[in-house]
Amino acid sequence: DIVTGWRTTQQWNDLWANGCALRTDYNVHCYVCERSACSITIDCVAANTISVAGAYYPSCVCTCKTGFGGAKCEVDTTIITVGNMEYSVLCDSSNINVFTAQAKCVAKGKYWSLASVMSGAANTALANAAPNQNIWIGARYNSVYNGHEWMYGRQAGKAFSIGLSTSVTCQPGMYCNWVAGDPDHVDCGDGDGPQVYAVIWGKAGVTSWDDTFTNGCGNPIALTSCYACERSPCLQIDCAKGYTRPRGYYPDCTCSTISATLSLSTTVSTSNTQSITASILSTATNSLEQTSTVTTTQSQTTSTTNSMTLSITHSVTITLSPSRSATQSGSVSTTTTSSLTSSTTASITFSPSMTTST
C-alpha cells in the first residue's frame, strides 16, 4: 500500500495493509478519495457526440449525432456493407450540390469519398437507405469519349458508360443503371450548365440514375439533399503479385508478405543380419576339417529434417562381401536378411497466420 506525507516529506512509502504493530510511525489514519466528473472528450467520442449527461463517472451517458451509436458514440450506424465495399447514405437539411456532397463524405473521416456504384446489389442498398430521395453518386460526364466516369475513390477516372441517350453502352466489367433516355446531357439554360453529374433518381419513384445539373437548374425533382459515400477496404489487386496480403483502406494500403514453411521430418531405420557358414574339406584326409558360422547384425537409424522440400528420396545401399581365404577347397554360403522402416511427418506453417484455404 502507498501512503503520502511520509515523515513530512510528501513522498510515498510502501506499507503493510494493516501497518506494523512494532512501528507506530507506520500507522495510518487518513485517506484520500476522488470523484471524476463526466467529460465529453474522455467518456465519449467527441466528434460523434452532441452532449454528455450524468454528473460523475461511471454514470455518463453520451448523446450521439445522427448516424452514430454505441455507448461512446463510437459506432457509425449508417454503414452499409455490400461485398467488399462499405457505403453510407446521409441526407442534409437542405439541398446541396455534388461538390458539397463530396466534401461531406470526406468529412466523415479518412478514406471516405462520394460513391462509385459497382453492382445492382449496391445500387439497391443505397436507394433503399433514402427512399424517394435523390442521392448524389460520384459520376460525371467526360467529353473526351462522350461518356461517364467515376470521379473519386478506387474507380476514379474509369469510364463505366459510353454514349448518350438511346445509344449509351455500359462498359465491360462495370455497372450502370440509367433511366431510359438518359444520360442526355442537356443544357439548363439558366447558367447552371449542362447535365454533367448523376443521382439515383428517387424523387421520380425509381432506383435508376439520371444525369443532372450541378445545382438542380431550379427543378424541384432534380434538387438533391442526400448523398452516398464509400470506403473501400484494400484488396489483393492493391498489392504486387505473389504471396502478399493487403491491409487497411484504399489508397493507404499496406501489403504484408505471406511466408510458408514446409517441414518434413523423416526417420529411417535399417536392420541387417548376415549369416555366413563355411565348410572346409581337407584334401589330405578328405574329411570335414572345420565348420563355422559367423552372424553379424548391423542397425542404423537416421533422422532428417527438410524445409521447403516436397520430394525426399532416401537411398540405402547395403553391400555384403564376405571373403575367406584358405588353402583348402570348400564352399561359403551367405544368407542376408534386411528390414527397412521409414516414417515421415509433414507440417506447414504460414506467417502471418492464414484463416482460409488459400
Side-chain angles (χ1 to χ4, degrees):
D1 296 325
I2 306 298
V3 297
T4 62
W6 175 248
R7 293 181 175 173
T8 70
T9 63
Q10 296 187 355
Q11 295 176 307
W12 300 354
N13 185 31
D14 55 338
L15 289 184
W16 302 274
N18 296 306
C20 179
L22 301 178
R23 294 286 300 274
T24 57
D25 54 345
Y26 282 174
N27 294 331
V28 181
H29 304 279
C30 303
Y31 50 94
V32 179
C33 306
E34 74 169 20
R35 182 169 61 172
S36 178
C38 291
S39 168
I40 193 172
T41 58
I42 297 175
D43 301 302
C44 313
V45 178
N48 306 337
T49 307
I50 298 174
S51 62
V52 61
Y56 295 98
Y57 177 85
S59 63
C60 309
V61 178
C62 304
T63 300
C64 305
K65 295 179 180 179
T66 301
F68 295 95
K72 296 185 176 183
C73 303
E74 75 281 9
V75 179
D76 187 340
T77 58
T78 67
I79 291 181
I80 304 167
T81 301
V82 181
N84 55 30
M85 294 295 297
E86 296 176 354
Y87 297 98
S88 176
V89 176
L90 301 167
C91 296
D92 212 47
S93 58
S94 58
N95 296 313
I96 58 175
N97 64 35
V98 67
F99 303 110
T100 301
Q102 164 64 2
K104 287 181 175 291
C105 286
V106 172
K108 277 182 62 66
K110 197 172 183 180
Y111 315 118
W112 287 97
S113 64
L114 206 58
S116 307
V117 186
M118 300 303 294
S119 68
N123 190 76
T124 299
L126 298 179
N128 290 342
N132 302 315
Q133 295 294 322
N134 292 351
I135 304 170
W136 283 114
I137 56 177
R140 69 179 170 198
Y141 174 76
N142 189 323
S143 60
V144 173
Y145 48 79
N146 191 37
H148 286 75
E149 66 185 12
W150 296 115
M151 292 190 288
Y152 307 107
R154 180 186 296 282
Q155 305 299 328
K158 295 181 180 179
F160 61 86
S161 71
I162 302 296
L164 299 173
S165 190
T166 57
S167 64
V168 66
T169 304
C170 289
Q171 293 303 287
M174 304 297 279
Y175 172 80
C176 63
N177 187 26
W178 296 109
V179 172
D182 277 324
D184 51 15
H185 196 55
V186 300
D187 196 296
C188 176
D190 70 346
D192 200 12
Q195 293 177 311
V196 174
Y197 305 100
V199 295
I200 298 174
W201 206 11
K203 286 186 177 181
V206 297
T207 60
S208 302
W209 306 346
D210 178 40
D211 59 336
T212 189
F213 312 97
T214 305
N215 295 297
C217 197
N219 185 352
I221 200 172
L223 297 177
T224 304
S225 62
C226 300
Y227 51 98
C229 306
E230 73 171 23
R231 180 172 62 172
S232 176
C234 292
L235 305 177
Q236 192 62 54
I237 59 175
D238 299 313
C239 296
K241 291 182 179 180
Y243 296 101
T244 53
R245 173 182 292 175
R247 299 180 185 276
Y249 284 92
Y250 181 86
D252 293 340
C253 300
T254 58
C255 302
S256 58
T257 300
I258 298 174
S259 62
T261 301
L262 176 65
S263 297
L264 292 176
S265 297
T266 302
T267 300
V268 177
S269 299
T270 61
S271 179
N272 307 298
T273 301
Q274 178 187 22
S275 178
I276 303 173
T277 300
S279 299
I280 303 173
L281 184 65
S282 174
T283 56
T285 61
N286 197 28
S287 61
L288 190 63
E289 182 178 279
Q290 181 181 357
T291 300
S292 62
T293 300
V294 179
T295 301
T296 62
T297 301
Q298 298 173 341
S299 297
Q300 181 181 4
T301 300
T302 60
S303 297
T304 59
T305 300
N306 302 272
S307 295
M308 297 304 292
T309 302
L310 295 178
S311 178
I312 298 177
T313 301
H314 289 288
S315 178
V316 178
T317 302
I318 302 172
T319 302
L320 299 175
S321 300
S323 62
R324 183 178 178 126
S325 61
T327 58
Q328 296 90 347
S329 63
S331 63
V332 176
S333 62
T334 302
T335 303
T336 301
T337 59
S338 299
S339 64
L340 174 64
T341 59
S342 176
S343 62
T344 301
T345 59
S347 64
I348 188 165
T349 304
F350 288 97
S351 177
S353 60
M354 298 288 287
T355 58
T356 69
S357 60
T358 304

